[in-house]
Each structure stands twice: as structure tokens, then as C-alpha cells.
Amino acid sequence: DKLNTGYILQSRFRSCADKTGIELTDEEFAFVVANFCDDQQNHPKQVHYTLWSDVMDEVFTTKGFDYHPQMDPKPWIPPSHKGISTTMTPQEEKYVRTAIDRFHKLIIDRRVFLKPHLKDYDRLNSGHITASQFKSSCGTLGLTFSCMDEQNAVIEKFSDSLGFLYYDFVNACETGKY
């Protein structure tokens, strides 16, 4: 792009992607063309590569991070599914509140870092772990439940169809709010 217009021909974009090691299948290339081509009269059949690179920056890191290296990049946080379980009885809500309050105090007093320990079990980086992994982690970290009903209420509160949402649990324990 010698004129710095932000647009290059589709064939040039494909060859640049190949040279940089980004091997796009025909289907992926068609997707890029469909979403990043400007069909206006100024740049017909050309890929808006600056828009494409901005989108890639936002997906993999924080935009502008290379210009401001002191800036903290925002970590990717999976969408919250908090509040999935709305059919809890008042007694179960009380169990959850009691456990969260107790864990919040323990985390502050002992300076326990829950997230890294629970994240070790999350191989797919989905924000979910199994209930048995959660129970095992709590035992290892010294977070004990007063009774099985309390443990089951916490698991029910922070679970959805994919498993236990440890991001929401960690957030609730660190802030003391859920």
C-alpha cells in the first residue's frame, strides 16, 4: 500500500498473509473478503487491511499495545452466566451467602489466589471446570464447607449446563458479593 490508503488488492492481501505465515483456507479467505472489502466506488474489490489488522489486534491483545508498552492488556474473560440458577430456596441462598462470606474473609486473611489454582483445571479456557475439580481445589486451598448442603448449594449456584463457572465464583469470593 504505497499510498497509505489502508486498502490492498485481494490477491496482494492473500500473498501477504501467506508470506507472514497466516495460511487461510479458501473458505476463510472468502470470509475475510466478505467482511473486509469495501464495495464503494473508491476501492472496489480491495481488502481494507487496516480494519482487518485492528480487529486482529483486539482479538489477540489490546489495540495500540505496541505504542504504549506500559499499558496493562485486558485479559480475556468469558461471558458471565451468573444467576443461571434462579430456583434456589431461601435456605440454599443462605448457605451460598454464608459460604461466600466465609471464603471472602479467608481469601483476604490468608491472601489466597483462587483463580490461578482453579484455572489450572480449565484446559479449554472456557471458564468451566467440573464439580469434582472444584471440590478438590477447595480442599487443597483449605476452603471448607460447613456441611454438604452448603457445598451443593454453592455448586448449584455457580453451575450451568457446561459445568462449574469458576470465574463467577472467584469474583464473588474476592468481592464478597454475588
Side-chain angles (χ1 to χ4, degrees):
D1 183 21
K2 293 179 181 176
L3 298 176
N4 268 345
T5 59
Y7 294 89
I8 56 175
L9 293 172
Q10 293 177 16
S11 58
R12 173 76 48 125
F13 180 84
R14 183 83 185 239
S15 83
C16 288
D18 290 340
K19 286 180 183 177
T20 58
I22 302 171
E23 297 175 11
L24 298 172
T25 64
D26 291 336
E27 185 178 296
E28 291 169 337
F29 183 71
F31 177 81
V32 169
V33 168
N35 289 289
F36 296 100
C37 275
D38 187 11
D39 293 332
Q40 297 175 357
Q41 296 170 355
N42 296 343
H43 305 283
K45 307 275 182 188
Q46 293 186 350
V47 176
H48 193 306
Y49 76 90
T50 54
L51 178 62
W52 181 80
S53 66
D54 287 346
V55 169
M56 293 299 109
D57 281 348
E58 290 175 11
V59 168
F60 295 108
T61 186
T62 303
K63 182 176 168 27
F65 185 67
D66 48 344
Y67 296 113
H68 306 286
Q70 300 296 328
M71 177 173 67
D72 288 331
K74 299 173 198 150
W76 180 80
I77 299 175
S80 176
H81 302 282
K82 196 169 170 183
I84 293 285
S85 179
T86 57
T87 59
M88 297 187 80
T89 65
Q91 182 63 35
E92 290 173 328
E93 287 287 341
K94 183 179 176 188
Y95 282 142
V96 172
R97 167 59 39 213
T98 304
I100 295 298
D101 290 342
R102 187 171 57 256
F103 292 164
H104 175 68
K105 185 175 181 342
L106 284 171
I107 288 169
I108 299 299
D109 292 347
R110 296 183 190 171
R111 297 182 180 162
V112 175
F113 296 108
L114 284 175
K115 188 176 177 182
H117 189 76
L118 294 170
K119 188 176 171 108
D120 285 344
Y121 290 108
D122 185 14
R123 293 180 186 246
L124 300 175
N125 203 19
S126 66
H128 294 85
I129 59 175
T130 65
S132 61
Q133 290 169 333
F134 168 69
K135 292 175 193 176
S136 173
S137 294
C138 286
T140 303
L141 293 170
L143 304 176
T144 57
F145 293 95
S146 61
C147 63
M148 288 301 291
D149 291 335
E150 185 179 72
Q151 182 181 30
N152 293 335
V154 168
I155 290 171
E156 181 184 339
K157 178 67 177 177
F158 294 100
S159 293
D160 64 5
S161 61
L162 299 176
F164 185 80
L165 293 154
Y166 71 91
Y167 274 101
D168 289 346
F169 174 75
V170 168
N171 186 40
C173 288
E174 288 177 350
T175 62
K177 303 173 188 171
Y178 76 101

